[in-house]
Amino acid sequence: MRYMTTDDYGFDTLAIHAGQDPDPRTGAVVPPIYQTSTYAQDAVGAPRLGYEYSRSGNPTRDALQECLAAIEGGRRGLAFASGLAAEDTLLRTVCRPGDHVVIPNDAYGGTYRLFAKVAERWGLDWTAAPLDDLDAVRAAFRPGHTRLIWAETPTNPVLNIADVSALAGLAHEYDALLAVDNTFASPYLQQPLALGADVVIHSTTKYLGGHSDVVGGGLVVSDAGLGDELAFHQNAMGAVNGPFDAWLTLRGIKTLGVRMDRHCDNAERIVGYLSEHEMVAQVLYPGLDTHPGHETAAKQMRRFGGMVSFRAAGGPEQAVEICNRAKLFVLAESLGGVESLIEHPGQMTHLSAAGSALEVPADLVRLSVGIETVDDLLADLEQALG
């Protein structure tokens, strides 16, 4: 496959073609699903095209990995069975027992659980800090032990913004790495590697897959050496995605750009509506001029995304009632699909953070704004808000 870069083509062209040349045998314009576990070898020690066993390499997964690298502007992409599988592989590649990581004080609940309930038992220490406060991040550093800053921007679910370039400078000052979870923004809206990050993380389940029909994860890096280390651990740990999952994710990526534009259009209309509603105490969206991270987001993002959170004026009980009354907004976890979703983070996606420093407000409602007709979405919110 010919390696394609952003120097050659625009984003949408890369999303459709990178890693996806027509099949040389049949001319199929869509990469085949190589639904196989093993491969015939031409001789002992001579696997055909390097393929031996599908945990170690699969042509469909390779196509996805090349596409991931291209759309993030990286040198190497790696695909995994889930976003958390990608996170775990990254941690155990770049960290050792006794190392330390700085994480957001409003991180995704699954990331918090991975650090607090799994990695900590392995001997990895961590500190939660507000990543939009560089002084707080610096204060959390343990020179000689802090190996990684783990960033989300926008964060899940309160949509805080971190300055990727500034965090990269701080991490590199201490010979640490910066990893950025780019799931909420997607590569279409933000490319952290170009801003100085060392690793980009994705739950490809979300906007990249885009249709709520596949679970996956991804890592993208610019440094070839780090890419080799991650690839070794990907194979050694084995949390790879299957060929059909890789194929579904590739299919989703083809329409990422056009979908993200509609997600953003709809989200902006909904933010305007919620901002004027008497039953809404606060709207959390980086596209608002009043958002504390608005200027930073405007600097590093193409647009402000399809995720919207708000706090119910009537408190936690009202927040739950709004979620339960919604009809077109489906009450469900996850995000980034073509259909709109609503959830109560405190009792759903972020329940694992309850009672910790990362606990989310009980009156918070999170919307994943889909690509439906926006007037229908607004009407559903009207009746849900009562």
Side-chain angles (χ1 to χ4, degrees), residues 85 110 167 180-181 202 260 296 298 318 321 369 382:
L167 286 177
V180 177
D181 185 334
H202 280 285
M260 292 308 301
T296 300
Q318 187 209 8
E321 289 173 3
V369 179
E382 176 69 22

PDB file of all heavy atoms in Angstrom, residues 85 110 167 180-181 202 260 296 298 318 321 369 382:
ATOM      1  N   ALA A  85      -8.369  -0.851  25.548  1.00  0.00           N
ATOM      2  CA  ALA A  85      -7.263  -1.743  25.187  1.00  0.00           C
ATOM      3  C   ALA A  85      -6.092  -0.936  24.644  1.00  0.00           C
ATOM      4  O   ALA A  85      -4.922  -1.229  24.943  1.00  0.00           O
ATOM      5  CB  ALA A  85      -7.730  -2.767  24.159  1.00  0.00           C
ATOM      6  N   GLY A 110     -13.904   5.529  32.435  1.00  0.00           N
ATOM      7  CA  GLY A 110     -13.172   4.304  32.147  1.00  0.00           C
ATOM      8  C   GLY A 110     -11.674   4.496  32.263  1.00  0.00           C
ATOM      9  O   GLY A 110     -10.948   3.590  32.706  1.00  0.00           O
ATOM     10  N   LEU A 167       1.011  21.972  26.917  1.00  0.00           N
ATOM     11  CA  LEU A 167       1.248  20.735  27.661  1.00  0.00           C
ATOM     12  C   LEU A 167       2.414  19.955  27.065  1.00  0.00           C
ATOM     13  O   LEU A 167       3.208  19.351  27.801  1.00  0.00           O
ATOM     14  CB  LEU A 167      -0.011  19.874  27.659  1.00  0.00           C
ATOM     15  CG  LEU A 167      -1.161  20.330  28.549  1.00  0.00           C
ATOM     16  CD1 LEU A 167      -2.356  19.404  28.362  1.00  0.00           C
ATOM     17  CD2 LEU A 167      -0.755  20.367  30.021  1.00  0.00           C
ATOM     18  N   VAL A 180      -2.639  12.406  24.039  1.00  0.00           N
ATOM     19  CA  VAL A 180      -3.898  13.151  23.956  1.00  0.00           C
ATOM     20  C   VAL A 180      -5.003  12.226  23.457  1.00  0.00           C
ATOM     21  O   VAL A 180      -4.906  11.664  22.363  1.00  0.00           O
ATOM     22  CB  VAL A 180      -3.779  14.368  23.014  1.00  0.00           C
ATOM     23  CG1 VAL A 180      -5.126  15.081  22.899  1.00  0.00           C
ATOM     24  CG2 VAL A 180      -2.721  15.338  23.536  1.00  0.00           C
ATOM     25  N   ASP A 181      -6.033  12.085  24.274  1.00  0.00           N
ATOM     26  CA  ASP A 181      -7.238  11.378  23.854  1.00  0.00           C
ATOM     27  C   ASP A 181      -8.035  12.343  22.973  1.00  0.00           C
ATOM     28  O   ASP A 181      -8.591  13.325  23.442  1.00  0.00           O
ATOM     29  CB  ASP A 181      -8.049  10.955  25.074  1.00  0.00           C
ATOM     30  CG  ASP A 181      -9.257  10.104  24.716  1.00  0.00           C
ATOM     31  OD1 ASP A 181      -9.756  10.238  23.582  1.00  0.00           O
ATOM     32  OD2 ASP A 181      -9.722   9.341  25.573  1.00  0.00           O
ATOM     33  N   HIS A 202      -7.536   7.084  20.487  1.00  0.00           N
ATOM     34  CA  HIS A 202      -8.926   7.143  20.048  1.00  0.00           C
ATOM     35  C   HIS A 202      -9.705   5.948  20.554  1.00  0.00           C
ATOM     36  O   HIS A 202      -9.191   4.818  20.549  1.00  0.00           O
ATOM     37  CB  HIS A 202      -9.036   7.133  18.516  1.00  0.00           C
ATOM     38  CG  HIS A 202      -8.794   8.452  17.881  1.00  0.00           C
ATOM     39  ND1 HIS A 202      -9.719   9.469  17.916  1.00  0.00           N
ATOM     40  CD2 HIS A 202      -7.726   8.923  17.208  1.00  0.00           C
ATOM     41  CE1 HIS A 202      -9.228  10.523  17.274  1.00  0.00           C
ATOM     42  NE2 HIS A 202      -8.023  10.215  16.844  1.00  0.00           N
ATOM     43  N   MET A 260     -18.974  15.098  10.679  1.00  0.00           N
ATOM     44  CA  MET A 260     -18.567  16.034  11.727  1.00  0.00           C
ATOM     45  C   MET A 260     -19.110  17.438  11.455  1.00  0.00           C
ATOM     46  O   MET A 260     -19.479  18.155  12.395  1.00  0.00           O
ATOM     47  CB  MET A 260     -17.043  16.074  11.866  1.00  0.00           C
ATOM     48  CG  MET A 260     -16.414  14.801  12.419  1.00  0.00           C
ATOM     49  SD  MET A 260     -17.144  14.194  13.961  1.00  0.00           S
ATOM     50  CE  MET A 260     -16.891  15.583  15.063  1.00  0.00           C
ATOM     51  N   THR A 296      -8.569  28.912  23.457  1.00  0.00           N
ATOM     52  CA  THR A 296      -7.653  27.803  23.177  1.00  0.00           C
ATOM     53  C   THR A 296      -8.276  26.838  22.183  1.00  0.00           C
ATOM     54  O   THR A 296      -7.622  26.385  21.236  1.00  0.00           O
ATOM     55  CB  THR A 296      -7.300  27.058  24.470  1.00  0.00           C
ATOM     56  OG1 THR A 296      -6.676  27.957  25.376  1.00  0.00           O
ATOM     57  CG2 THR A 296      -6.362  25.898  24.191  1.00  0.00           C
ATOM     58  N   ALA A 298     -10.526  27.507  19.931  1.00  0.00           N
ATOM     59  CA  ALA A 298     -10.566  28.155  18.625  1.00  0.00           C
ATOM     60  C   ALA A 298      -9.206  28.098  17.936  1.00  0.00           C
ATOM     61  O   ALA A 298      -9.124  28.021  16.699  1.00  0.00           O
ATOM     62  CB  ALA A 298     -11.034  29.600  18.766  1.00  0.00           C
ATOM     63  N   GLN A 318     -34.056  16.523  38.456  1.00  0.00           N
ATOM     64  CA  GLN A 318     -34.519  17.007  37.164  1.00  0.00           C
ATOM     65  C   GLN A 318     -33.628  16.496  36.035  1.00  0.00           C
ATOM     66  O   GLN A 318     -34.120  16.161  34.945  1.00  0.00           O
ATOM     67  CB  GLN A 318     -34.562  18.534  37.136  1.00  0.00           C
ATOM     68  CG  GLN A 318     -35.218  19.065  35.855  1.00  0.00           C
ATOM     69  CD  GLN A 318     -34.710  20.427  35.429  1.00  0.00           C
ATOM     70  OE1 GLN A 318     -33.761  20.946  35.998  1.00  0.00           O
ATOM     71  NE2 GLN A 318     -35.337  20.990  34.414  1.00  0.00           N
ATOM     72  N   GLU A 321     -34.774  13.129  35.206  1.00  0.00           N
ATOM     73  CA  GLU A 321     -36.080  13.184  34.543  1.00  0.00           C
ATOM     74  C   GLU A 321     -35.939  13.591  33.083  1.00  0.00           C
ATOM     75  O   GLU A 321     -36.628  13.050  32.203  1.00  0.00           O
ATOM     76  CB  GLU A 321     -36.993  14.163  35.277  1.00  0.00           C
ATOM     77  CG  GLU A 321     -37.461  13.670  36.640  1.00  0.00           C
ATOM     78  CD  GLU A 321     -38.223  14.733  37.406  1.00  0.00           C
ATOM     79  OE1 GLU A 321     -38.428  15.839  36.845  1.00  0.00           O
ATOM     80  OE2 GLU A 321     -38.608  14.473  38.557  1.00  0.00           O
ATOM     81  N   VAL A 369     -24.809  14.843  20.103  1.00  0.00           N
ATOM     82  CA  VAL A 369     -25.739  15.366  19.100  1.00  0.00           C
ATOM     83  C   VAL A 369     -25.468  14.680  17.767  1.00  0.00           C
ATOM     84  O   VAL A 369     -24.356  14.743  17.230  1.00  0.00           O
ATOM     85  CB  VAL A 369     -25.594  16.892  18.967  1.00  0.00           C
ATOM     86  CG1 VAL A 369     -26.553  17.416  17.909  1.00  0.00           C
ATOM     87  CG2 VAL A 369     -25.845  17.572  20.309  1.00  0.00           C
ATOM     88  N   GLU A 382     -37.344  20.189  23.889  1.00  0.00           N
ATOM     89  CA  GLU A 382     -38.400  21.037  24.434  1.00  0.00           C
ATOM     90  C   GLU A 382     -39.333  20.223  25.324  1.00  0.00           C
ATOM     91  O   GLU A 382     -39.666  20.621  26.449  1.00  0.00           O
ATOM     92  CB  GLU A 382     -39.176  21.696  23.300  1.00  0.00           C
ATOM     93  CG  GLU A 382     -40.371  22.539  23.757  1.00  0.00           C
ATOM     94  CD  GLU A 382     -39.958  23.799  24.501  1.00  0.00           C
ATOM     95  OE1 GLU A 382     -38.813  24.265  24.322  1.00  0.00           O
ATOM     96  OE2 GLU A 382     -40.802  24.305  25.276  1.00  0.00           O
TER      97      GLU A 382
END
